[in-house]
Amino acid sequence: MVRYQAATAQWELAVTDTDSTTAQVTTVTDDQVLPSADGSGQHLAVVFDSFTHQVRLYVDGQLTSTAVGMDHTRWPSSAGLQVGRSAQDGGSEYFAGALDEIRVYDGVVDPIGIARMSQLTEDTDL
């Protein structure tokens, strides 16, 4: 789960060890890029790499935090992708902002691809 903490003005990446309501949660915090207040928005990317057992959070094309998880060939999800809300605590956490575009890729996108996606100009090769 990616969430914004208004109290600290930081993005957080929360990763669970299982797909259940009692899962252990590991939280890592973006400590490099502060959210912009200019209204242009920010580009967030989350990459799950089953080879390295890492989940990486990129903000505006820059790697900001990494969580190391268990050895899973595939992410152990038993439900669909949730965008704009968390399924934790009965789905009580909602994103209080606007989402412009959502992309989901099968496979790991490298840092160069993430940097290209974060640009404000069109890139037809993505």
Side-chain angles (χ1 to χ4, degrees), residues 28-107:
V28 292
T29 304
D30 162 24
D31 61 357
Q32 297 181 22
V33 182
L34 293 177
S36 170
D38 67 3
S40 65
Q42 287 188 289
H43 178 268
L44 303 177
V46 177
V47 175
F48 172 63
D49 187 336
S50 64
F51 183 73
T52 61
H53 317 295
Q54 295 181 339
V55 179
R56 297 185 284 272
L57 173 64
Y58 293 83
V59 179
D60 292 333
Q62 300 295 314
L63 177 64
T64 62
S65 56
T66 301
V68 178
M70 297 170 52
D71 181 6
H72 293 294
T73 303
R74 297 254 185 226
W75 192 257
S77 177
S78 61
L81 175 67
Q82 298 287 322
V83 177
R85 76 174 187 102
S86 166
Q88 297 237 272
D89 298 325
S92 61
E93 292 185 38
Y94 289 87
F95 180 68
L99 300 173
D100 181 43
E101 182 177 347
I102 306 293
R103 294 181 187 191
V104 178
Y105 293 92
D106 183 17

Side-chain angles (χ1 to χ4, degrees), residues 4 17 45 50-51 61 67-68 97 111 118 120:
Y4 177 70
D17 62 347
S50 64
F51 183 73
V68 178
S118 71
L120 295 177

